Amino acid sequence: MRSSADQLGGIALSVVRIVVSFMFVLHGAATLFGVLGGAFGQQGAAAPIGQWPSWWAGLIQFVAGGLVLLGLFTRPAALLCSGAMAYAYFSVHQPRGLFPIQNGGVPAALYSWIFLLIAVLGAGPFALDALRHQLRQPPERVEAHTRER
């Protein structure tokens, strides 16, 4: 039996996963489709298909972020999101300055660490992964339960 603190922790993990991945998906939509402010801070601009690294980053943000949002294949998708943001931090931001506050890399660093945490802890109870896990469990034997009475 799980304690109420464990249950609250699982609920909090699910809520953080949903909120963070939703914001991540919005970044991907802006990059790929030119919506919500567009790519590169230009209204209506989208990254050209296949352009390295912006279009690929947008694709990871949109697809893998969407999987994390749904809680489907959460651990590998979150690990991919974490790695993409670590790459963004070290290739784009870190050369501009030592600390994230100096180099504009705070969002990339936070996304990287939060997605790494989700990859380690899992999706939480409100996720399609949890539903998939429940459906794979063998049904409880009703016969055994009725014989005990």
Side-chain angles (χ1 to χ4, degrees), residues 11-92:
I11 292 168
L13 175 60
S14 289
V15 170
V16 167
R17 173 187 53 80
I18 290 166
V19 170
V20 170
S21 61
F22 177 70
M23 291 187 293
F24 200 62
V25 167
L26 295 179
H27 282 286
T31 301
L32 294 175
F33 309 118
V35 297
L36 306 167
F40 318 113
Q42 298 174 358
Q43 185 67 33
I49 294 174
Q51 181 184 46
W52 178 260
S54 55
W55 186 83
W56 294 98
L59 187 65
I60 290 170
Q61 290 167 341
F62 193 73
V63 175
L67 288 172
V68 175
L69 175 64
L70 295 172
L72 185 62
F73 307 111
T74 306
R75 290 176 191 265
L79 189 61
L80 179 60
C81 293
S82 176
M85 289 296 96
Y87 176 83
Y89 181 78
F90 286 110
S91 67
V92 175

